[in-house]
């Protein structure tokens, strides 16, 4: 049984603070399992929006452990990933398709044709068509039950980078090809052997399809995220900090943090049980 976390609300969004990253990731994984079971109970497939990066690695490890011990099956699951570098081959180990294969797809009983990752090999002239089709496929599958997000140090969600758009414009952003922000490239330097080696562009699910998910779980761990987390939760909505745009759909957003990522937030804090029920409800 997990230790009850501290919890609070900021701008109408539920915030759970767990003692460490391992527990935070397990809690996020359990919300995904709850969402899968809720869809199963309705005799339909769960549609999950998934993230990559270092933060969710432990979420996937938890899901794989649960799958191996019979706690969850992905037989009736459809997944859509948030983003992919462009251009990149799916067999390049730095691609997000390869990441997902390593951490989840090859480890569970998910059907290959239900595991969607934006295709970094599409000729540039066809990228806009692919991006629009991706948004249509999600809609045709009934929309995302749950979108798992991480947050960049610059406040990005997916690869929706900070911009000087108005809030109204940013909220309409569709899936598309983008230029990566210098902070994002610096953070990816480790995987590419230097910031100047990082692939400069990426395909990303847009702000609009992210916010259309029926529930959104945003996971942040570690002190380097504290500033962006506090600004997204307590600052104004602005396209300069894309995670702040989650405030526009506050009632369906749950932040899951570890103590270091929450270090920029102030109380008052309370026990979270009611919020967990609310998330469960949103997944139904
Ligand atoms: C990854 C993604 C990004 C990451 C963010 C945090 O699919 O969409 O927004 O969630 O850059 O990355 P990590 O977890 O590596 O700190």
């Amino acid at each position: 049984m997990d230790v009850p976390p501290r919890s609070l609300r900021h701008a109408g969004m539920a915030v759970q603070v767990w003692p460490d990253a391992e527990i935070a990731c397990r809690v996020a994984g359990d919300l995904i399992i709850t969402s899968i079971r809720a869809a199963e109970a309705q005799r339909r497939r769960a549609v999950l929006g998934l993230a990559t990066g270092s933060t969710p690695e432990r979420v996937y490890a938890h899901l794989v452990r649960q799958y191996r011990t019979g706690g969850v099956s992905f037989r009736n699951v459809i997944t859509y990933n948030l983003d992919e570098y462009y251009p990149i081959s799916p067999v390049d180990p730095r691609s997000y398709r390869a990441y997902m294969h390593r951490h989840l797809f090859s480890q569970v009983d998910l059907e290959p044709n239900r595991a969607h990752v934006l295709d970094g090999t599409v000729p540039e002239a066809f990228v806009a068509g692919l991006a629009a089709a991706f948004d249509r496929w999600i809609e045709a599958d009934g929309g995302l039950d749950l979108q798992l997000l991480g947050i960049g140090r610059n406040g990005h969600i997916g690869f929706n980078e900070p911009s000087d758009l108005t809030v109204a414009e940013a909220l309409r952003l569709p899936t598309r090809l983008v230029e990566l922000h210098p902070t994002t490239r610096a953070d990816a330097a480790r995987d590419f052997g230097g910031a100047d080696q990082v692939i400069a562009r990426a395909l990303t699910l847009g702000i609009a399809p992210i916010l259309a998910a029926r529930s959104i779980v945003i996971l942040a761990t570690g002190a380097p995220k504290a500033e962006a987390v506090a600004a997204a939760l307590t600052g104004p909505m602005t396209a300069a900090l894309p995670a702040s745009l989650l405030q526009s759909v506050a009632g369906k957003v749950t932040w899951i943090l570890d103590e270091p990522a929450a270090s920029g937030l102030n109380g008052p804090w309370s026990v979270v049980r009611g919020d967990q029920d609310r998330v469960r409800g949103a997944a139904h």
Side-chain angles (χ1 to χ4, degrees):
M1 180 82 177
D2 293 329
V3 181
R6 292 187 293 147
S7 79
L8 82 167
R9 272 178 191 279
H10 267 298
M13 296 182 283
V15 185
Q16 304 181 2
V17 185
W18 294 88
D20 60 48
E22 179 63 37
I23 301 179
C25 291
R26 215 165 56 217
V27 169
D30 285 341
L31 290 175
I32 291 173
I33 292 171
T34 301
S35 188
I36 293 172
R37 291 196 185 131
E40 261 169 11
Q42 294 170 2
R43 300 185 183 282
R44 63 174 182 84
R45 296 194 178 115
V47 187
L48 304 176
L50 298 179
T52 53
S54 57
T55 314
E57 284 181 13
R58 283 187 268 206
V59 176
Y60 299 132
H62 179 64
L63 293 177
V64 169
R65 273 194 308 270
Q66 291 298 307
Y67 165 72
R68 287 189 182 145
T69 55
V72 67
S73 164
F74 291 80
R75 211 175 34 243
N76 290 314
V77 172
I78 302 172
T79 66
Y80 285 93
N81 262 81
L82 271 173
D83 38 26
E84 179 59 288
Y85 291 104
Y86 186 85
I88 199 163
S89 158
V91 296
D92 185 320
R94 301 164 306 179
S95 74
Y96 284 159
R97 164 63 77 177
Y99 169 108
M100 289 308 298
H101 186 77
R102 272 195 308 277
H103 293 287
L104 187 69
F105 296 164
S106 66
Q107 314 274 335
V108 298
D109 59 346
L110 180 65
E111 292 287 341
N113 65 335
R114 294 192 193 131
H116 307 99
V117 182
L118 284 153
D119 183 353
T121 70
V122 163
E124 194 157 349
F126 295 92
V127 158
L130 166 77
F134 206 74
D135 288 347
R136 283 201 307 274
W137 298 343
I138 294 173
E139 277 172 31
D141 278 331
L144 299 169
D145 288 303
L146 182 149
Q147 174 67 62
L148 177 66
L149 295 176
I151 180 171
R153 282 190 302 128
N154 62 3
H156 72 204
I157 49 176
F159 278 141
N160 294 282
E161 301 284 26
S163 72
D164 54 10
L165 295 175
T166 65
V167 167
E169 288 166 341
L171 291 176
R172 284 197 298 270
L173 285 171
T175 298
R176 66 204 188 286
L177 183 61
V178 295
E179 295 279 333
L180 294 178
H181 188 272
T183 306
T184 305
R185 293 174 69 168
D187 286 347
R190 188 188 40 148
D191 298 332
F192 284 84
D196 54 341
Q197 302 294 311
V198 177
I199 294 174
R201 294 188 296 169
L203 298 160
T204 184
L205 204 66
I207 295 287
I210 289 174
L211 298 186
R214 282 186 283 281
S215 68
I216 298 175
V217 172
I218 177 160
L219 177 64
T221 59
K225 300 292 173 68
E227 202 177 317
V229 166
L233 281 162
T234 63
M237 264 209 280
T238 166
L241 194 92
S244 69
L245 300 169
L246 293 170
Q247 294 177 23
S248 69
V249 292
K252 58 186 181 183
V253 179
T254 301
W255 290 75
I256 298 184
L257 310 173
D258 67 356
E259 289 284 354
S263 57
L265 298 173
N266 299 314
W269 302 88
S270 60
V271 173
V272 83
R273 193 165 306 281
D275 286 336
Q276 280 177 326
D277 291 344
R278 192 185 62 80
V279 170
R280 219 165 273 139
H284 278 256

